[in-house]
Each structure stands twice: as C-alpha cells, then as structure tokens.
Amino acid sequence: MERPGPSDGSDASGPDPQLAVTMGFTGFGKKARTFDLEAMFEQTRRTAVERSRKTLEAREREEEMNREKELRRQNEDLEPTSSGSNVARACSKSSSRDTSSSESDESSDSSDDELIGPPLPLKMVEEPVNPMEAVLSPLPPPLAEDMEEDDDDDGDSEEEENPVRKIPDSHEITLKHGTKTVSALGLDPSGARLVTGGYDYDVKFWDFAGMDASFKAFRSLQPCECHQIKSLQYSNTGDMILVVSGSSQAKVIDRDGFEVMECIKGDQYIVDMANTKGHTAMLHTGSWHPKIKGEFMTCSNDATVRTWEVENPKKQKSVFKPRTMQGKKVIPTTCTYSRDGNLIAAACQNGSIQIWDRNMTVHPKFHYKQAHDPGTDTSCVTFSYDGTVLASRGGDDTLKLWDIRQFNKPLFSASGLPTMFPMTDCCFSPDDKLVVTGTSVQRGCGSGKLVFFERRTFQRVYEIDITDASVVRCLWHPKLNQIMVGTGNGLAKVYYDPNKSQRGAKLCVVKTQRKAKQAETLTQDYIITPHALPMFREPRQRSTRKQLEKDRLDPLKSHKPEPPVAGPGRGGRVGTHGGTLSSYIVKNIALDKTDDSNPREAILRHAKAAEDNPYWVSPAYSKTQPKTMFAQVESDDEETKNEPEWKKRKI
C-alpha cells in the first residue's frame, strides 16, 4: 500500500486525527506558521516614527506654553507708563510670530521631503529681536529646568573639586579576626571575598554574599604552620591567593584555601644568591603581576627580589639584587609592580628606592639613595592608577610622593605619621586624588587613625579614628568603593556608604542573624528497661546451693586470693610499700633475698675449675701474673683459744 504524496487531498482536509493520536500530541501534522520579516521591520519602523513625531509635538506645545507664560509675566512686571509700548510690542511680536509661523509652516511643507530627523531646538530657530526693544524691556528669568541643571552642575563641580565628599565612611562593620595583629588583607578583584591574616598564624576567609549580621568567617586555616602572615593578595583573575609569611618559602592557595604550589628553598651556603633556586631567608612581602597570569614576586632577607611562575615552583624566573652605591648588598623590605607591569620597585633598609625594568635584572633604571632615613624599614611602596606617581611609607614616620619621570627628589613629604609595624601600607583612592595611610599608637595612648592626603597639594584633608590600637593595613577597593582596615587588636573594619558604595558590606548588613536550630526532641518520653524485655531477661537460679557447688568445681572461681606480701617482698612480688624504682627492678629480676650464703664462697666456688682448666683469662697473664695466695681464715674456736686471759675472764 502506497503512502499519499504531496499532491493528495490529505493536506486540504487538515491533519489526520488518527496520526495525531498515534504520535501523542494534537499539534502534529499542522502546517508551520510563516513570518514576513520585511513586513515586520517596516511595521516597527512606522510605529517608531509615529511615536517620535508625537513626542516632538508634545514637547513643542509645552515649550510654546512656557514661552507664553514668560511673556505674560514680563507684561505684568512692566511699569504702567510703558504699557502702551508693551502692547504695541506684544502685537508686533504676535503678528510677526503669526507671519513667521505661517512662513515656517509653508517652508516646512515644502521641505518635509528634504529634512530627516527631529526639528531643531526652539532656541536656535527663534527670530532675531530688535536691539532697541531688548534694551527697553527687562530680561526674562531663566527657566526652572535650566536652573536645576545649573545647580546640578555646580554640585558636581564642587564634588569634583572636593574629593573628601567621595570618602565612603558613613557606615562601618567590624570583622573579628582574633586577638593579635591583623597584618595582611586581601580582596578579590570582584569584591566578593575578603581574606585576612595575622600574627596568630591564621588566615580567615569572609564571603560578603554568604555572611549575615553575625559577621563570621566561613573558613579558617594555617597555611604556613607557625609563621606569621605578612602579606595576602589575590591574583588579577581572583582564583589564587599569594601567601607570604615569615618563612623563606611563599605559598599559593586557591579560593577555598587548598595549596596550589610552594616555592622551593634555596641553598644558604652559596655566596652568589643568583645561583640559588629560591630564597634562603625570611620573606617580607609579595605581589602579583597585574597583567600576566601566574607570575608573582617576593623579596627576602637574603638581599634579593625574585619573580616566580606558578607552573614552575622548583626555580625562580629571575633575580634582582639591590645594591648600595658602593656595590654592597642591601636587604629589600618591600616590593611592588607598576600598574602596567613593566617596572619593579623595591625599598631597602639603607633608605633607598630602586626601580628596575622587568626584563633587565642587572642595573636599576632609577635609584634614589636617601629616600628615607637609613636603618628604618620602608614598609610600603605603591604606584598610582595613572602609573606616574609612586608613594612610599617610611619607617621614619613619613609619607612621600615621587614622580617617576623626574626621580631626583620627592614631590611632597608628610611627617608626623608614627608607625611601629613593618607592614604599615598606603594606597591611592580609585580616582587618584587622595592618598591614604594609617598611624600606630602605643597601647592605651590614644587611637589609631586613617589619614587622607590630597594628592595635588598633599594637604591633610581628612582623618578617621579607627580604634584604640594601631592601624596596620588599609585597602580601598576601586569597584566596591569601600575601605578595609586591619588593626593591631585583631579587628578588620569595613567602611562604606550606602549611596556611594557597591555590594560588599551592603550585602551582609541587611541579612538578619540566623537563629540557632534547637535540637529535635521526642514528642513522648519513653522509658526503656532492657532487662524487662524477654530476650534480655536473665534466667533465675532455682537453687543457690547447686550454683555454689558448680563454682567450687571451677578452678578460677574457687581460687584462693593471694594475701598481701608483708615485709620487703619475695619471689618476684613487691611488698605493699614498694612503689620506688628499686622495688620495680626487684620485681622484674625476681631477686630472692633469702640467700644467706657467704659472698666470699660464692665468688671462689669457680676458682678450682679455673685453676685446673685455665682457658679465658689466665693464659693472658700466665707469664706476668704472680701466683695467687689466699689467706687462711681461722675458725671461731681457734680465735677464742688465742685470746688473752683477761678477755676470757671478761667474757
């Protein structure tokens, strides 16, 4: 049987109901709907043109009404003496407006086919005004919209001129890291997770989207065991974290805290540090490359700055060796990349700042030998977002700005900023108009502050009292527009503004604290006695006498217990008083103290066998050893016979 072809009449009669039932849905066999895209586009274009025309007409009518109101207000404000001239002027204006409107209508009718797009603004097509009339009549007041726009422009200009208004410090939250100093802060590029590290060896992870109002970390670990955490930084992709501690080996962990790689330790007995595969002394800080994924840098007490790759933890990529002007070794205390990643800057213990080209490790490109006081550890160097200015936070209680293009003297310098930590840092605001740093205080001697300097004039424009401890770390995230601060009493504070900041702390402050789940209890208390059940019930003894007879036959149950040992003990058993070392030794060697034999006889009982059969010792001394002679011991009877007469009488 042949199937009907396309020319059969089955299409005309519609879909076969039996076929639809067989296939399982009623729409099977219907003809697909076709769409004319050109017609749809044309309809959409016509609708858009019609809406635009209506909008323009409404706007023209509104502006015409506003113009008539202004003219009416001007006529009311004029003096009575000039009423005639004003009426004439108004008539002339109305007549000229009528004529101009008629002309404009004609011209618009004639030029509809030529002009395409919205009409020109009314301010540009107004007719010229007679200069004499302009002198005689008062000027119209500005429109309300123009006044509002001017006010907005003035506010924006004032805010641009005053960068202090952009500081997000209206609200704050406090994250409890521990009891010791928070010496490291890191925030991923998206601003979703914060990581803190401290002197207590702990690294804690905080998730703003997952936290509630209790502000608890979701993970805590010790990646470097018993070494203080000195630096934490997320990579530019946000999937890895560089951990720099007091050891000589930096680590890289992922977002969840699992170790990705650990740098190798170098050979400390090699003189030239360029020939070792890694650092040989304590690390100070580290930094990720801003452009190249997987490349980072560390500096150490072995007087080197080394760059690494995550894929190759067995050897560093390159080595930079800071030197004094005399060519001697000097220890770098901090290092960083420039914003484009082409320069590497390091501050050293002799007060110098040295900058290398990333691809040239021999000689520094810039070298300023007395940037800070010698012997003070410069705790931070950082580049501005435009890449032309370098800020340095010195151990001599100063903050300085440097222009890389003219690296011969500092642009500005601010003093009176005490610091007591080797990792006190500084940072730039996201708009590059402010420089921020923290101050240190003795315990109980005031409060640590977060100080803001204007970059253009380096004036101290703003301060925030953080807490009654030192401010060690500060971080201003450009996307969140929030400021993170690490303090000396184990706190990490986040400052934000609900209107100026984005996400971050705003996500967790709105969540209510979760209530602790109560343990599920039984609706009805059941008292279960296992021995009351038949399977656990013990069989009853019918006769106690029979049981005693069975126990008598059992050697274990009928065994007489040994009485306690009286005296010093014997037979390997320690007496009741024996708890000393000697008692323990006696117990182990089973010494029997009942041996009353003569010790001299015990020693000489093998003398005759040794004399008859000399085998071990005697042959070695046969030629040099004299003949042994033992004294004869007299018996007690012989001794009494030889005693004097007066002793016998006394006895």
Side-chain angles (χ1 to χ4, degrees):
M1 182 177 181
E2 297 181 358
R3 290 179 298 175
S7 60
D8 295 337
S10 58
D11 294 339
S13 60
D16 188 3
Q18 186 66 26
L19 184 60
V21 172
T22 303
M23 298 304 296
F25 51 93
T26 57
F28 186 83
K30 292 184 179 180
K31 186 177 181 181
R33 184 181 177 185
T34 59
F35 298 92
D36 190 356
L37 295 179
E38 294 182 358
M40 294 173 65
F41 289 151
E42 182 65 23
Q43 182 66 24
T44 305
R45 188 185 66 80
R46 290 179 182 178
T47 304
V49 170
E50 183 67 21
R51 290 181 179 177
S52 301
R53 186 179 60 79
K54 291 181 179 180
T55 303
L56 292 174
E57 290 178 356
R59 189 180 301 170
E60 290 176 359
R61 286 195 300 269
E62 184 178 357
E63 291 179 354
E64 185 67 23
M65 293 174 63
N66 292 333
R67 192 182 300 107
E68 291 178 358
K69 290 180 181 179
E70 293 298 329
L71 291 175
R72 194 178 301 110
R73 189 180 297 113
Q74 293 174 11
N75 295 332
E76 292 176 357
D77 293 340
L78 290 177
E79 295 180 357
T81 54
S82 58
S83 61
S85 60
N86 290 337
V87 172
R89 190 180 303 113
C91 294
S92 63
K93 282 187 178 181
S94 62
S95 62
S96 62
R97 190 184 300 109
D98 295 338
T99 55
S100 62
S101 62
S102 62
E103 292 175 359
S104 62
D105 293 339
E106 294 175 359
S107 61
S108 63
D109 294 335
S110 62
S111 61
D112 279 341
D113 298 336
E114 299 177 0
L115 297 178
I116 298 175
L120 295 174
L122 295 177
K123 295 181 181 179
M124 300 176 61
V125 299
E126 284 183 356
E127 60 185 18
V129 183
N130 190 358
M132 293 300 294
E133 294 179 357
V135 172
L136 294 176
S137 61
L139 294 175
L143 297 177
E145 296 178 358
D146 297 339
M147 293 178 66
E148 291 178 359
E149 292 178 359
D150 295 340
D151 294 340
D152 294 340
D153 294 340
D154 295 340
D156 295 341
S157 61
E158 290 179 1
E159 189 172 355
E160 290 178 358
E161 293 176 359
N162 188 9
V164 179
R165 295 185 178 181
K166 296 183 179 180
I167 299 176
D169 64 332
S170 61
H171 295 69
E172 68 173 274
I173 64 172
T174 302
L175 308 177
K176 182 68 175 177
H177 173 84
T179 58
K180 296 186 178 181
T181 302
V182 177
S183 56
L185 284 177
L187 198 61
D188 66 343
S190 63
R193 285 189 178 181
L194 174 69
V195 59
T196 59
Y199 280 3
D200 54 358
Y201 321 136
D202 289 338
V203 174
K204 293 190 176 182
F205 294 78
W206 315 78
D207 190 354
F208 289 118
M211 278 194 305
D212 56 7
S214 61
F215 306 131
K216 293 183 180 179
F218 73 91
R219 182 167 290 119
S220 177
L221 53 95
Q222 292 184 355
C224 301
E225 296 179 350
C226 58
H227 294 284
Q228 296 177 351
I229 306 300
K230 294 193 171 184
S231 176
L232 294 171
Q233 187 179 8
Y234 274 91
S235 61
N236 53 357
T237 55
D239 58 343
M240 293 180 290
I241 304 172
L242 174 62
V243 182
V244 177
S245 63
S247 66
S248 60
Q249 297 172 270
K251 286 188 177 182
V252 177
I253 60 178
D254 59 7
R255 288 176 60 89
D256 296 324
F258 298 101
E259 182 176 328
V260 177
M261 64 89 71
E262 182 180 13
C263 299
I264 192 172
K265 185 177 181 180
D267 189 352
Q268 57 187 351
Y269 298 104
I270 296 179
V271 177
D272 189 2
M273 288 291 103
N275 294 330
T276 62
K277 297 181 180 181
H279 287 294
T280 61
M282 178 184 67
L283 298 175
H284 286 290
T285 187
S287 177
W288 286 99
H289 193 284
K291 302 294 183 182
I292 301 176
K293 181 181 179 181
E295 180 179 333
F296 61 93
M297 168 179 55
T298 55
C299 65
S300 169
N301 261 358
D302 60 2
T304 60
V305 177
R306 301 174 189 262
T307 59
W308 304 80
E309 290 180 341
V310 176
E311 293 80 8
N312 186 17
K314 298 300 182 182
K315 187 178 181 181
Q316 75 273 347
K317 184 178 180 181
S318 58
V319 182
F320 299 86
K321 297 186 290 185
R323 292 290 185 265
T324 62
M325 299 301 291
Q326 293 77 22
K328 298 181 180 179
K329 290 182 179 180
V330 62
I331 296 176
T333 57
T334 183
C335 60
T336 186
Y337 280 102
S338 61
R339 296 292 176 177
D340 56 1
N342 295 328
L343 299 177
I344 292 177
C348 305
Q349 281 186 345
N350 63 344
S352 64
I353 295 179
Q354 304 182 28
I355 301 177
W356 293 269
D357 190 337
R358 174 177 163 272
N359 299 320
M360 299 178 63
T361 63
V362 181
H363 298 290
K365 189 175 183 179
F366 304 104
H367 187 178
Y368 193 82
K369 60 181 180 180
Q370 290 184 353
H372 293 277
D373 293 345
T376 61
D377 292 347
T378 303
S379 57
C380 178
V381 288
T382 182
F383 284 87
S384 60
Y385 286 94
D386 56 12
T388 60
V389 176
L390 178 73
S392 61
R393 181 70 163 95
D396 53 358
D397 301 342
T398 61
L399 176 65
K400 296 183 179 181
L401 284 187
W402 308 83
D403 191 347
I404 299 178
R405 297 164 295 187
Q406 297 178 354
F407 201 70
N408 51 8
K409 63 178 181 179
L411 294 175
F412 302 102
S413 178
S415 58
L417 303 170
T419 174
M420 296 183 295
F421 292 89
M423 64 281 298
T424 303
D425 58 359
C426 58
C427 63
F428 286 87
S429 62
D431 58 358
D432 258 354
K433 294 184 178 181
L434 295 174
V435 186
V436 190
T437 188
T439 60
S440 301
V441 292
Q442 295 286 347
R443 181 173 297 179
C445 298
S447 60
K449 298 180 179 180
L450 197 64
V451 187
F452 296 80
F453 293 90
E454 189 177 0
R455 172 184 166 181
R456 185 169 52 87
T457 60
F458 221 60
Q459 296 293 325
R460 195 166 179 165
V461 294
Y462 196 66
E463 291 181 356
I464 301 177
D465 289 337
I466 304 299
T467 183
D468 57 350
S470 302
V471 176
V472 182
R473 289 286 187 179
C474 59
L475 177 64
W476 196 335
H477 197 271
K479 288 187 178 180
L480 301 184
N481 194 25
Q482 298 178 13
I483 302 175
M484 285 69 181
V485 180
T487 64
N489 57 356
L491 302 179
K493 291 197 172 186
V494 181
Y495 289 86
Y496 68 98
D497 191 309
N499 300 323
K500 302 173 185 176
S501 303
Q502 305 292 331
R503 301 189 306 277
K506 294 171 60 178
L507 299 177
C508 56
V509 295
V510 297
K511 296 182 180 179
T512 58
Q513 187 172 354
R514 299 188 185 97
K515 295 182 180 180
K517 295 182 178 179
Q518 297 181 355
E520 296 181 358
T521 58
L522 296 174
T523 57
Q524 184 178 0
D525 295 336
Y526 292 95
I527 300 175
I528 301 175
T529 55
H531 294 285
L533 300 176
M535 63 182 300
F536 296 107
R537 188 176 302 161
E538 294 180 356
R540 294 181 180 181
Q541 297 293 336
R542 296 181 180 180
S543 175
T544 308
R545 184 176 58 83
K546 293 182 179 181
Q547 183 64 30
L548 291 176
E549 291 177 355
K550 290 181 180 180
D551 294 341
R552 177 64 65 183
L553 298 176
D554 190 356
L556 294 177
K557 292 183 179 181
S558 62
H559 177 69
K560 180 182 177 182
E562 296 181 358
V565 179
R570 56 177 296 177
R573 296 183 62 195
V574 182
T576 56
H577 65 282
T580 61
L581 178 62
S582 60
S583 301
Y584 177 77
I585 295 175
V586 169
K587 180 180 178 180
N588 287 338
I589 65 177
L591 179 62
D592 191 0
K593 293 186 177 181
T594 59
D595 188 8
D596 297 332
S597 61
N598 191 349
R600 185 171 182 274
E601 294 179 357
I603 295 174
L604 295 178
R605 62 184 174 180
H606 300 289
K608 186 169 181 58
E611 184 179 359
D612 296 341
N613 187 17
Y615 183 76
W616 298 106
V617 180
S618 298
Y621 300 98
S622 59
K623 295 182 180 180
T624 59
Q625 187 71 15
K627 186 178 180 180
T628 56
M629 296 178 66
F630 298 100
Q632 297 294 329
V633 179
E634 296 179 354
S635 63
D636 295 340
D637 297 339
E638 293 178 356
E639 289 179 358
T640 55
K641 289 179 181 180
N642 296 331
E643 287 182 356
E645 191 67 24
W646 59 273
K647 284 187 177 182
K648 294 179 181 179
R649 283 196 213 101
K650 189 175 181 181
I651 294 172

